[in-house]
Amino acid sequence: GAVVSQHPSRVICKSGTSVKIECRSLDFQATTMFWYRQFPKQSLMLMATSNEGSKATYEQGVEKDKFLINHASLTLSTLTVTSAHPEDSSFYICSARATGETGGIYNEQFFGPGTRLTVL
Amino acid sequence: AQTVTQSQPEMSVQEAETVTLSCTYDTSESDYYLFWYKQPPSRQMILVIRQEAYKQQNATENRFSVNFQKAAKSFSLKISDSQLGDAAMYFCAYRIYTGTASKLTFGTGTRLQVTL
């Protein structure tokens, strides 16, 4: 299957600093990438959808100025948490959608391993 | 808006036994995908099985099978011969068939415990 990587896997930062998380599709091109947030023992909450070369579409209630998303190429999307605060501590998961058909499914979506962000 | 409901927050099964996880959904679309994802303690989301709505035959993947009832909007997952490695959170998800704007809608998850 296709592989999606995330870096870093774990990050601890001080309150007020910014943190960048990278999401890469390693062996396929992804015109669309998704960013999710997951709180302990809860489901994945979609934060935003990013398309290569255009502005991200944010879900209702997600601050676009706080969570900056850049989808610079067909294999890379970044999420920057600006001026992070303890309430931003969470598990962030990216997902990349393959173009065309892979394994019998059209536009299959593959998930990265996640990034645990802790803001002190 | 589409919704996905998993009414069982936790389930438990003995090793080698069979367990069924429930999922219902609501949609006005006719063409869509349904998925079951597994999230083990590592937090990596793993696709377990998928079903295209236009297919009447239930999908199967080794020990995993689904009971897809389109009219009832029900999509349950059956795990046969349960193994300790099956212990995880299981999420049911829905997505319309195609289009770059389509996105996954997840249920709230069911935590499966596997006991000896």
Side-chain angles (χ1 to χ4, degrees), chain A residues 37-44 90-91 116, chain B residues 9-10 39 43 89 91 107-111 113:
Chain A
R37 183 173 181 176
Q38 186 179 32
F39 291 106
K41 298 185 179 181
Q42 293 190 22
S43 188
L44 281 69
S90 190
F91 193 71
R116 177 170 300 287
Chain B
E10 290 191 9
Q39 189 179 42
R43 307 291 291 270
M89 280 290 290
F91 293 100
T108 51
T110 297
R111 180 171 299 281
Q113 290 184 316

Side-chain angles (χ1 to χ4, degrees), chain B residues 70-89:
Chain B
K70 191 172 184 180
K73 295 180 181 175
S74 170
F75 183 61
S76 61
L77 174 70
K78 185 171 82 171
I79 306 174
S80 304
D81 186 26
S82 297
Q83 300 175 0
L84 293 177
D86 295 333
M89 280 290 290

Side-chain angles (χ1 to χ4, degrees), chain A residues 2-18:
Chain A
V3 179
V4 176
S5 70
Q6 269 184 255
H7 179 79
S9 58
R10 189 181 288 264
V11 58
I12 301 172
C13 68
K14 292 182 178 180
S15 185
T17 62
S18 295

Side-chain angles (χ1 to χ4, degrees), chain B residues 44 66 81 90:
Chain B
Q44 172 75 59
V66 298
D81 186 26
Y90 286 83

Side-chain angles (χ1 to χ4, degrees), chain B residues 37-101:
Chain B
Y37 285 92
K38 171 184 177 181
Q39 189 179 42
S42 68
R43 307 291 291 270
Q44 172 75 59
M45 294 289 283
I46 301 166
L47 177 64
V48 175
I49 199 166
R50 60 178 177 250
Q51 174 83 42
E52 291 93 328
Y54 69 88
K55 290 186 177 179
Q56 292 187 341
Q57 187 173 7
N58 289 324
T60 61
E61 286 287 343
N62 301 312
R63 297 183 296 108
F64 299 88
S65 62
V66 298
N67 184 1
F68 173 48
Q69 301 289 329
K70 191 172 184 180
K73 295 180 181 175
S74 170
F75 183 61
S76 61
L77 174 70
K78 185 171 82 171
I79 306 174
S80 304
D81 186 26
S82 297
Q83 300 175 0
L84 293 177
D86 295 333
M89 280 290 290
Y90 286 83
F91 293 100
C92 178
Y94 160 99
R95 204 196 92 192
I96 62 172
Y97 194 64
T98 188
T100 56

